Amino acid sequence: MSNAALASNNLIDRTATIVSALGVASASTPASLLQNPHVGKRWRHNASTTWVLADLGALFSIDTVMLAGVAGPNTPAFQVRLSTADSTGAAGDAHNSGLLTGLPYFDGDYEKFIYLLSSPVSARYVRVDFTDASSPATGLYTEAGRWFAGVRNQFTTNFQAGWQNTVVRGSVDVIGVGGQTFVDLRRGHLATQVTFNFVTETERTGFLDDIGVTILNVGHLDMLWLKDPASSNLARDSVWGYIDGDPQLSQQFTFTTLYTLAFTIRQRL
Amino acid sequence: MTTPLYAATVPFISRNSDAPANQQFSGTLEATLRVDRSITAGQLGFGGFTESLSELTLINADAEYDDLAVGFSINGQAIVCSLGQLSSDGKTVDPYAQFVRVALLTGERMRVDRSRLTIEMRDPSMHMLVPVQDRVYPGNGSVQTGNIEDGTDNVAGKRRPRAEGTVFNATGALVVPEELVYQISDTYVTFGAVKDGGIPLVFQNDYEDVETMINNAFQVQPGSYATVKELGYFMLGGPNVFQVTCDVSGPRATTGEVLEWAAIRASNTETLNADRVVPDVTLSQGYTVASTTISVSINPNVFSRTGYDSGKYCYRVVIGPVEGTYAFGLANHGKRSGYSGIGMDTTGGHGNSIAVYRQGSPQAGFVTYQGSLTGETGNAFFANSDILVAVDVGARLFWYKTGTGASWNANPSANPATGVGGFNLQFPGTVYAAGLVNGAGTSVRFDFYPDTSTLPSGYSQWGATPKFAIDTATFDGLDNVQPAQIGYYLDEDQSTTFADMFSLLTNGIGGWFGFSPLGRLQVYRFDAPVTSSLYDYDTHGGNIVDIQRASLPSGLDPPPQRWRCKYQRNYTVMTELAGQVTEVDPSFAETLRHESQVASTSDADAAIVIAIWPDAVDTDPIDSFFVSQADAQTEVDRLLALYSQGAYQAYSMTLANAIFVHQIGDVIKVTDTRLGLSGGKYLRVVSLSDDVSSMTTTVVAFG
């Protein structure tokens, strides 16, 4: 168990970042959709072995890489390479994850791949390779809908007991005169409610203020919530989403500069 | 430039094997689609026009569609709505090819705001808002210039009249006053009588064209008349004393036949011209197959409806399974369906054509023009031959081949795409596709939409893309349930639209028409529900969410005490009649003085209705177009049994799992413990509202 973290400064979304891929299935499935806020709007390549590459334009610290909306007919393997100067991204001189399969990195039920470095490295090129780990494969394709690369900010003191993880049911029910329930099936989503009672001054004026400023000036910010960075299933214990409602930060103890922060992270699909 | 939009309630990318392949469907579609249809606004009872109206919205909260706010129109664009499924684990969307298309609508207007893009849609009924009589008289006709059929200046700009079915006592358009030439219909007609003040004149002769008829005027004595029946003209032998009227029969007889013709014309579907065909030739449903059951004395021709002055086009001819006399080729508008076969134009009229006949030894396809062989030959064709004809109208050349592997014009170097080896078209002017079929059991099918992959480069299908599809089976069905002859006439002063025509004729038989959600024009008669159904609904596990009794339309509650229908429409109500008529046949004189005859249910039947509903009204007669009293009587008796005996009620219900399943007119079986439905009752659907937002269908049904 490790303290929860938020990764909010997405280097993939920087204006200067150029995202490319080994290939695309059609003009409507470009690699640039990995920067589109909708996870459901995906890049696709009709191949089971492929890669995506982000040129950040300059060196940046990175310790967290996530791909959401990862889909394909088979179980993929991944390789994350962070490079300082090789524009193909293949060098991996800053970091090379080697082949990653299954848990804790990827869970097909959540269609999410997460790779966490133990400490940040400096890199300009971020490359994730997909390899079809199973065979035989039919109808080869690889899809991904959202990409995050950046650093995560771990809370000094973890959230309190009483946190809630809600599966929000989207289906619509109609009850007939005969008493039956007719269900109009619709996809659900996740929402996590947490409260931190011991947010430090450094955290308040640091990454939490960065989040607040973005919400203040831009109006919205998508981020990665990591309930437990040491989880055995990172896809399950994380949410790619946004702070739903108004994040409430208040000073609870007059004699120290510690704060209480409560927020809800709502999943983005 | 057209920009397609793809949106779905769940975002997905279509499969590589789908069409369109690998297409991103944005997840912006709100589940708001609702399609409403109803036949509860008929003249009396259920009927009239069922219109599909709908609206859908795409989420625009993150400005995805802001660029469409300016300089973008959705008017007239096709909107395709399909339903698909997620896989059982909910992770993937089924192949787009497995989606079920539930609605094909036409965009009308769209609005973009900060929240959403709203698209208003409707069915293709706008294409029916054009006049039935699409041709007007130019009014510059003269014998000298060979276009006397266009009429003189007194009819300039007026619409050419049209007679459908058996029309009684109609007044034609006087198109050439100095020659006493009238046109009674812009179609082939059979003249029953031409009358002066009600007195029948004597038939003299039928001519190939109006010019020939006028040139033979000296042979038409006073008191007699001549005709050009294929074009619907007649000429008096001498000045008339009273009003001149006609009894004529058009190429079609029943409501179903007339409406199918109208549907094909309104949709602009290319077919054989059903107005230019002799009665000995039968055209199939959809007017693509011409057949004969006997050997006709004059080889009968058929023609395409559309002719071209330029361009490159293809049509396909499939010879029937029975050997007989066949030819195919090209003709101008002056070529008649009678008088002489195509390629045999020796009668001196304006007709001109070229044709390919099978003959010789060894047999080949011989090009024939004005009765003589041109010396050009292609492959022979036989029963079941499949022939593709390519015409370069501008270059006045044509080619044909009898199968995929065959050479064009039996010449390996001939090629329509390069213009090499074409046969000479011989005659100038507009070119129509033409064919000839003769002999017992013979038939020939024309395909004006041959597969584009088979066409030479640069060539198009003969037919333009239809504006909407036609459910021809429903027209067949209407003919089966209502085979009565009708008479419908549009004179030169009318601007009746196809929509008006459909409304009038369907109301006249207690029917309705409309477009299915998939944009197919359908026509039906409203009858009591049959006692079988594929669809059973009940309130205990049977997909009924709610059910109530519903009101009947105001015209049926209370029902009329008496049902009356018009028949034998008199299209010229006459006040001045020849004395011979009033004296010898006063009954006929009375017929000529009234707008129609009326069939009615009996006083005894009315008394029974009044006993149950004392406030039952005695309504105006229904505007029917029946020819015979017997058919009108049958109809009023049917309506009395259907609506005025209290046997049927209306119910309103909400159904689950039935979205886009039903059509107006479907019969469903409904069971409930209340409302007289405990034993199950068969009901006919008269109103439908398919609502995607709740995935329910609201139904009003009668039975």
Side-chain angles (χ1 to χ4, degrees), chain B residues 402-426:
Chain B
T402 54
T404 307
S407 298
W408 291 102
N409 292 352
N411 173 3
S413 61
N415 186 352
T418 58
V420 174
F423 293 156
N424 192 340
L425 201 53
Q426 302 288 349

Side-chain angles (χ1 to χ4, degrees), chain B residues 472-496:
Chain B
T472 53
T474 64
F475 291 80
D476 269 348
L478 185 65
D479 249 358
N480 288 333
V481 298
Q482 181 46 282
Q485 289 199 336
I486 61 165
Y488 181 67
Y489 186 66
L490 295 169
D491 66 27
E492 67 208 71
D493 296 320
Q494 306 226 20
S495 289
T496 302

